Amino acid sequence: MLKKINKFEYFAPSTLAEVISLLAEYKGKAKLYAGGTDVLVQMKQRKITPEYIIDIKKIPELNGITYSPEGELTIGALVTHGQFAISKNVPEKFTMLKEASLAVGSVQTRNRGTIVGNICTSSPAADTPPALLALDAGLKLVSSTGERTVKINDFFTGPFKNILKDTEIITEILIPGLPENSGGVYLWHSKITEEDETLVGVGIVLTVDNLENRVCTNLRIGLGSVAPTPMRAVKAEDFLKGKIVDEETIKQTAEIAANESLPRSRAEYRKEMVKVQTKRALSQALKRIER
Amino acid sequence: MKKIPIKFTINGQQREALVQPNDLLINLLRDELYLTGTKYGCGIGECGACTVFLDDELVLACLILAVTVDGKEITTIEGLARGKELHPMQISFLKNAAVQCGFCTPGMIMTAISLMKENPDPSEEEIREYMRGNICRCTGYTQIIKAIKEYAHSMKG
Ligand code: FES
Ligand code: FES
């Protein structure tokens, strides 16, 4: 691999206002830099050759994990996978996102790489998106002309592609509070190579009416690595809603999820893994509600 | 392109340097400071040979822009020994024949030390999981795991 990366001009602004004005000025020629774990790799591979690098690490307002009295969790753009995984500000009901953060790369890359960066790269194999899909996360996109909040479900458009404009920055992830009797789980299965890329990732948030009846009132299933983008298994979700969650319905839900996944390589194996992991994740989610 | 002045602490010593925006930390360490203990392997974050501490956090020197270490503290493998006395983790690696060609060793030792700080008494599984980002082409890992275990054991004393 090349030792050098292309030449560029470097900015390290201290306010968000400066960032969005730089983005507006340089449009597609600038790249945001936080942890660098994705951006520098893409530069080394000459997949991107930005003329301007905007280092956002010095902007305090992009830091922090906050939990509001309304039960909403906000994660700033600079929060790394490592920081999130050990954060005390994250209530137990969001443990699944910690599980997904720990599935990313190695200690070294988790210490630098940010969850928002992971989303921006939009790899179909990324670990946090399936969990964030299950959590119905929103993303706050800010540019010099205004801001918008989009659901992560509407964000990805293809492998390494998304709706983010080159004048926009994702400033935070917003995770809505979970209703009572909800449980979430993230399970992943990796191929053992030096990249340790996730082969199948399954994120689940299950809600039941109460612990006696166990009727599914809501379900979101996020799948990673089994389609051109991280995806929701909507058919499987719809199937279980309104039904009693038991061994049989869990099995059927997992089969439907496997059938609606769209893996390109090693499709048969991956579909089988979706089935196995979805089944496991659903029973574990139920156990977490009971706890 | 204009060079940028930076100040940092490396292995306990204050230093200054002039860097290009596109210099990586690994370039600064090896080519400017001649600290060649830190190795350059894959260059894209997959092998761990370039592992160092940046403000007490375990990071990859191949994936960090040198300008961003301004004001920070870096520890490399050269910063572990006290005079002629090796760090106990280095000794444990030597004693257990956990070093063959040695290319992965500096990175392995940095990661092993970080593990000990976070989890002083890890299981074999926890060691393997933590060391997942450090690749060795020679040893087959068995002796490396043993060296780390033995170190942990000796620290419990
Ligand atoms: S050289 Fe940095 S991880 Fe391989
Ligand atoms: S000893 Fe040769 S790569 Fe590990």
Side-chain angles (χ1 to χ4, degrees):
Chain A
M1 191 50 59
L2 292 158
K3 259 185 116 165
K4 285 266 171 188
I5 48 176
N6 67 270
K7 287 204 162 80
F8 52 80
E9 202 172 326
Y10 172 81
F11 298 99
S14 51
T15 65
L16 182 60
E18 285 170 81
V19 175
I20 53 180
S21 88
L22 285 167
L23 282 174
E25 190 177 342
Y26 297 123
K27 293 241 161 58
K29 293 178 186 153
K31 191 82 191 164
L32 298 175
Y33 174 93
T37 49
D38 283 335
V39 171
L40 293 181
V41 171
Q42 288 167 358
M43 287 172 77
K44 287 215 170 178
Q45 295 169 337
R46 293 286 189 267
K47 280 185 187 149
I48 54 169
T49 48
E51 287 171 42
Y52 306 93
I53 288 283
I54 307 167
D55 182 351
I56 57 172
K57 276 241 169 209
K58 293 187 180 144
I59 303 170
E61 58 193 292
L62 297 180
N63 238 319
I65 302 167
T66 47
Y67 183 57
S68 77
E70 292 75 45
E72 193 182 64
L73 187 70
T74 311
I75 306 166
L78 291 177
V79 174
T80 65
H81 298 104
Q83 271 168 359
F84 188 81
I86 58 163
S87 169
K88 299 208 166 57
N89 286 357
V90 181
E92 210 179 310
K93 56 185 171 190
F94 296 120
T95 294
M96 64 178 302
L97 193 53
K98 290 192 169 184
E99 291 164 341
S101 299
L102 283 172
V104 176
S106 57
V107 210
Q108 292 96 317
T109 50
R110 284 197 295 276
N111 279 344
R112 294 288 294 182
T114 62
I115 301 180
V116 166
N118 210 203
I119 296 170
C120 290
T121 305
S122 302
S123 158
D127 281 289
T128 48
L132 291 165
L133 279 168
L135 289 164
D136 199 29
L139 305 171
K140 194 162 147 195
L141 278 42
V142 179
S143 75
S144 60
T145 54
E147 60 176 68
R148 53 179 177 150
T149 301
V150 297
K151 283 290 178 192
I152 192 163
N153 198 23
D154 301 321
F155 185 75
F156 305 108
T157 53
F160 304 97
K161 287 201 177 75
N162 56 51
I163 60 162
L164 190 70
K165 299 201 189 100
D166 50 22
T167 51
E168 281 176 322
I169 171 176
I170 301 182
T171 54
E172 58 193 20
I173 305 170
L174 308 146
I175 300 176
L178 294 181
E180 259 194 67
N181 295 319
S182 297
V185 172
Y186 180 72
L187 292 179
W188 56 289
H189 185 83
S190 76
K191 68 171 187 262
I192 307 299
T193 66
E194 54 271 40
E195 305 121 64
D196 249 8
E197 199 176 61
T198 289
L199 208 48
V200 169
V202 178
I204 275 180
V205 172
L206 169 70
T207 310
V208 295
D209 59 344
N210 58 53
L211 283 172
E212 285 76 59
N213 297 337
R214 294 177 171 196
V215 172
C216 169
T217 52
N218 204 7
L219 172 65
R220 280 185 302 268
I221 305 177
L223 300 177
S225 279
V226 293
T229 66
M231 64 173 278
R232 285 265 298 271
V234 192
K235 285 183 193 148
E237 294 172 2
D238 287 342
F239 170 80
L240 194 62
K241 277 181 216 162
K243 293 196 178 61
I244 296 173
V245 185
D246 59 23
E247 216 178 299
E248 187 50 38
T249 52
I250 285 180
K251 207 179 120 207
Q252 287 170 321
T253 308
E255 263 160 29
I256 298 170
N259 280 332
E260 65 185 302
S261 68
L262 301 159
R264 280 168 304 173
S265 68
R266 295 206 260 168
E268 215 176 303
Y269 175 69
R270 279 185 145 117
K271 277 187 187 260
E272 190 59 30
M273 285 315 296
V274 171
K275 193 161 89 191
V276 173
Q277 300 287 44
T278 306
K279 213 167 92 184
R280 271 188 210 151
L282 277 169
S283 0
Q284 287 186 23
L286 197 57
K287 284 209 192 92
R288 283 193 177 167
I289 302 174
E290 285 165 359
R291 256 209 324 245
Chain B
M1 207 128 297
K2 229 178 80 209
K3 289 208 174 191
I4 304 168
I6 56 169
K7 276 191 194 145
F8 51 93
T9 307
I10 174 91
N11 298 330
Q13 270 187 315
Q14 295 258 27
R15 289 290 296 255
E16 287 175 23
L18 279 174
V19 296
Q20 307 262 19
N22 65 336
D23 279 339
L24 299 162
L25 178 56
I26 186 91
N27 309 134
L28 173 68
L29 294 175
R30 292 182 55 90
D31 307 338
E32 292 290 322
L33 306 172
Y34 303 114
L35 292 169
T36 52
T38 305
K39 300 297 181 234
Y40 186 83
C42 66
I44 48 172
E46 286 175 4
C47 74
C50 64
T51 303
V52 298
F53 283 99
L54 182 63
D55 281 352
D56 283 329
E57 216 167 50
L58 198 70
V59 299
L60 300 171
C62 74
L63 292 185
I64 287 175
L65 292 178
V67 281
T68 63
V69 306
D70 186 36
K72 297 194 191 292
E73 203 176 324
I74 307 151
T75 307
T76 67
I77 189 80
E78 289 91 346
L80 296 183
R82 293 279 155 266
K84 286 212 155 128
E85 200 182 315
L86 291 179
H87 186 283
M89 186 65 84
Q90 293 174 305
I91 297 174
S92 191
F93 266 63
L94 286 174
K95 250 183 39 201
N96 284 286
V99 182
Q100 285 186 21
C101 79
F103 198 83
C104 71
T105 314
M108 286 283 178
I109 289 177
M110 301 315 268
T111 307
I113 289 174
S114 172
L115 167 64
M116 290 300 119
K117 279 197 220 157
E118 282 177 31
N119 179 2
D121 190 17
S123 67
E124 166 148 357
E125 212 187 307
E126 285 169 334
I127 298 177
R128 287 189 183 268
E129 169 59 33
Y130 200 90
M131 306 296 293
R132 161 170 123 193
N134 289 77
I135 307 296
C136 176
R137 280 281 163 98
C138 307
T139 65
Y141 303 99
T142 311
Q143 297 310 109
I144 294 176
I145 309 286
K146 220 177 132 205
I148 298 170
K149 269 195 202 155
E150 210 175 282
Y151 171 92
H153 197 76
S154 71
M155 286 294 128
K156 270 196 292 183

